[in-house]
């Protein structure tokens, strides 16, 4: 028996393991499995929810597992797959176990219905994921009526709790997750009156947009911002403003779903005093997932808000392997050191943001870029000072979608040279 529901455990003040993983989403579970497969004896995963699996647990639609498992499955099935594989690999899974902070001697403070305990480990992997910014964080003024969700909250209500969520919904955002919200709303019998985005076009696959228009007759309102919510005790209207001329449009709806606009769950990284990346808002990492503190690693959407689950899982698997090597040879980690990677204005962020060792490739041998702009056939160029390390034309850039950069140029980086800079030449 290697699963522990904290509610069923008696008082236990101090627990020692080799590696503790915070977060039982795809990245944390894949890392824990890799650690056990590499022979690390005691690996514990701490998860605040009552079951392991992370976000896919409440995404009932299909589309999970393509790159990591080489098959397509629904979110809950994918989550079960990883939870079962972790158990089978001998990972200790502790659910209903919220990590609330760090103890003075470097342990993790864990709160659960059974009480408080501290977990000490040689290495800590932060795999706490990311969440969507809600209405307050997006500074949308107006009445505080009911019927306001993020996609995550919506899917928990619909798929995990079977709740009725309203009858007419507006979806804020037009990226992959926004279309996932439309699917959930339709599944719950809710009419979707529109998707609204501040950008000039949607940022998902054309087929999702086409299907939403054809099947559900849902219009896409581009170049518009939600400026007010009206209605109490329940939402009755959303007020949109057209960004081009300031004209306002009142949309009757009793439900609004704020989608995308991700922020990493970075509280533990921040309170550990890790160097943070001002662009992703996650910890700064190198290709091995090393943060600025020895023995603390990070993986998954905490580091790249957000990628798909298979990318998070492959990243976790990669960092799990790194940690196993580090346990055997602690000189192999270059925490905080190395050459920084910067991005030009057309790019929002890059992950990883530091080259610790030019011999270490990132997960899948690629860096992940996030564009700020739409562009067709732009050039991407990587420089270190005056030296061009790499350049290539890419098919297109789309905000909210990844652009992958092969890491073949890493070996040419001068470890004593200036920052590496990635630019888009449109
Ligand atoms: C609506 C929606 C639809 C999606 N659809 C798809 C899709 O079709 N295909 C696809 O591949 N991907 C999809 N994704 C993306 C995918 O779910 C994520 O990429 C993936 O879950 C990221 O894995 P992760 O391990 O980094 O983070 P998460 O899955 O977010 O897991 C992080 C875990 O950490 C736990 N945690 C956080 N803080 C603490 C703490 N202090 N103590 C204890 N536990 C903590 C959380 O409870 C959570 O379980 C979708 C995402 C959303 C929101």
């Amino acid at each position: 028996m290697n699963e522990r529901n904290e509610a069923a455990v008696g008082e236990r003040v101090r627990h020692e393991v080799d590696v503790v993983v915070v977060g039982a989403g795809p990245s944390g579970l894949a890392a824990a499995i890799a650690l056990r497969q590499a022979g690390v004896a005691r690996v514990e995963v701490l998860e605040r929810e009552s079951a392991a699996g992370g976000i896919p647990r409440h995404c009932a639609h299909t589309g999970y597992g393509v790159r990591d498992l080489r098959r397509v499955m629904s979110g809950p099935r994918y989550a079960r797959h990883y939870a079962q594989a972790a158990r089978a690999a001998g990972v200790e899974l502790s659910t209903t176990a919220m990590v609330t902070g760090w103890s003075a001697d470097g342990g993790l403070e864990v709160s659960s219905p059974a009480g408080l305990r501290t977990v000490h480990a040689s290495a800590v992997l932060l795999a706490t994921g990311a969440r969507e910014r809600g209405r307050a964080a997006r500074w949308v003024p107006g009445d505080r009526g009911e019927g306001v969700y993020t996609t995550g909250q919506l899917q928990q209500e619909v798929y995990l709790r079977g709740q009725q969520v309203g009858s007419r919904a507006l979806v804020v955002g037009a990226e992959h997750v926004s279309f996932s919200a439309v699917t959930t709303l339709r599944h719950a019998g809710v009419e979707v009156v529109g998707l609204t985005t501040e950008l000039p076009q949607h940022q998902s696959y054309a087929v999702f947009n086409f299907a939403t228009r054809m099947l559900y007759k849902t219009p896409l309102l581009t170049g518009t911002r939600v400026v007010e919510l009206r209605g109490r005790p329940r939402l009755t209207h959303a007020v949109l403003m057209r960004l081009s001329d300031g004209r306002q449009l009142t949309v009757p709806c009793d439900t609004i779903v704020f989608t995308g606009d991700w922020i990493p769950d970075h509280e533990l990284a921040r309170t550990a005093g890790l160097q943070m990346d001002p662009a992703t808002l996650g910890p700064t990492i190198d290709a091995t997932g090393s943060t600025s503190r020895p023995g603390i690693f990070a993986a998954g959407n905490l580091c790249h808000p957000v990628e798909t689950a298979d990318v998070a899982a492959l990243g976790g698997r990669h960092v799990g392997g790194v940690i196993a090597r580090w346990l055997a040879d602690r000189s192999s980690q270059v925490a905080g050191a190395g050459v920084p990677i910067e991005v030009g204005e057309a790019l929002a962020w890059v992950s990883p943001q530091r080259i610790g060792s030019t011999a270490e490739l990132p997960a899948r041998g690629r860096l992940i870029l996030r564009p700020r702009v739409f562009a067709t056939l732009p050039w991407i160029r990587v420089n270190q000072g005056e030296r061009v390390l790499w350049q290539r034309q890419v098919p297109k850039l789309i905000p909210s979608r990844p652009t992958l950069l092969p890491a073949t140029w890493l070996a040419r980086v001068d470890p004593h040279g200036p920052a590496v800079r990635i630019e888009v030449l449109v």
Side-chain angles (χ1 to χ4, degrees):
M1 172 78 180
N2 54 13
E3 180 150 13
R4 175 171 45 201
N5 185 312
E6 294 284 318
V9 174
E11 195 174 318
R12 190 166 177 176
V13 176
R14 187 184 166 101
H15 187 61
E16 303 229 1
V17 292
D18 296 312
V19 182
V20 61
V21 177
V22 187
S27 63
L29 291 174
I33 294 165
L35 281 157
R36 287 287 302 138
Q37 287 172 344
V40 177
R42 294 165 306 169
V43 180
E44 180 171 12
V45 179
L46 299 166
E47 170 55 51
R48 65 186 171 193
E49 292 199 14
S50 58
I55 287 180
R57 280 182 61 230
H58 46 82
C59 286
H61 60 76
T62 187
Y64 284 87
V66 177
R67 297 178 187 84
D68 53 342
L69 305 178
R70 304 274 174 213
R71 54 193 139 129
V72 185
M73 49 175 88
S74 73
R77 212 171 136 224
Y78 180 81
R80 276 197 303 278
H81 168 93
Y82 269 104
Q84 282 163 7
R87 276 185 219 111
V91 172
E92 196 175 334
L93 272 179
S94 298
T95 51
T96 330
M98 174 82 166
V99 181
T100 53
W102 303 83
S103 63
D105 56 355
L108 285 170
E109 288 172 347
V110 185
S111 168
S112 74
L116 299 175
R117 68 184 175 113
T118 318
V119 179
H120 289 261
S122 303
V124 176
L125 173 63
L126 300 177
T128 46
R131 59 176 180 265
E132 293 160 294
R133 281 191 179 85
R135 179 244 179 116
R138 300 185 197 215
W139 299 336
V140 180
D143 296 327
R144 303 263 141 198
E146 291 164 15
V148 181
Y149 301 91
T150 61
T151 319
Q153 291 164 343
L154 172 79
Q155 294 191 329
Q156 294 214 12
E157 288 300 308
V158 172
Y159 294 130
L160 293 188
R161 301 191 192 100
Q163 294 292 317
Q164 180 58 39
V165 287
S167 57
R168 280 172 62 86
L170 178 70
V171 171
V172 182
E175 54 184 277
H176 289 338
V177 68
S178 320
F179 291 95
S180 174
V182 172
T183 309
T184 305
L185 288 162
R186 294 300 302 153
H187 171 87
V190 181
E191 180 194 353
V192 184
V193 295
L195 287 102
T196 163
T197 173
E198 295 184 19
L199 296 178
Q201 59 194 77
H202 71 84
Q203 307 100 55
S204 188
Y205 301 129
V207 63
F208 288 179
N209 185 42
F210 182 75
T212 303
R213 278 178 175 232
M214 288 300 123
L215 286 178
Y216 308 137
K217 312 281 178 247
T218 302
L220 173 66
L221 307 163
T222 55
T224 51
R225 176 182 300 160
V226 182
V227 290
E228 187 187 347
L229 300 187
R230 292 184 191 153
R232 284 178 69 173
R234 187 170 183 108
L235 175 73
T236 55
H237 295 86
V239 182
L240 306 183
M241 185 180 76
R242 206 158 64 185
L243 296 175
S244 57
D245 57 8
R247 236 183 94 196
Q248 296 202 344
L249 166 73
T250 302
V251 180
C253 56
D254 61 9
T255 304
I256 188 162
V257 187
F258 289 96
T259 69
D261 195 2
W262 302 92
I263 179 159
D265 257 314
H266 56 193
E267 286 77 7
L268 288 173
R270 282 192 11 250
T271 52
L274 302 183
Q275 185 186 76
M276 303 297 288
D277 176 33
T280 59
L281 301 181
T284 301
I285 53 162
D286 70 11
T288 67
S290 295
T291 68
S292 57
R293 272 185 59 183
I296 304 185
F297 297 80
N301 280 347
L302 170 65
C303 306
H304 44 64
V306 302
E307 288 296 318
T308 50
D310 45 7
V311 171
L314 290 170
R317 191 186 292 174
H318 171 75
V319 178
V322 168
I323 298 174
R325 277 191 277 136
W326 179 77
L327 290 172
D329 171 14
R330 303 209 178 183
S331 66
S332 63
Q333 192 192 28
V334 276
V339 179
I341 311 175
E342 298 170 351
V343 291
E345 271 178 19
L347 297 168
W349 53 255
V350 59
S351 182
Q353 307 84 4
R354 190 161 41 80
I355 300 158
S357 153
T358 53
E360 291 281 1
L361 292 181
R364 302 190 297 145
R366 292 160 186 179
L367 289 89
I368 304 172
L369 297 173
R370 187 65 87 251
R372 271 189 210 288
V373 295
F374 293 92
T376 304
L377 292 175
W379 283 81
I380 297 190
R381 190 164 70 195
V382 182
N383 286 327
Q384 188 178 28
E386 297 297 305
R387 231 158 34 98
V388 176
L389 302 177
W390 183 91
Q391 59 184 339
R392 186 175 297 170
Q393 204 167 15
V394 296
K396 51 185 161 183
L397 299 181
I398 300 175
S400 312
R401 295 255 295 268
T403 294
L404 299 175
L405 201 65
T408 42
W409 48 269
L410 270 185
R412 301 182 52 216
V413 171
D414 174 359
H416 308 292
V420 165
R421 192 166 172 83
I422 306 173
E423 299 273 5
V424 174
L425 315 172
V426 189

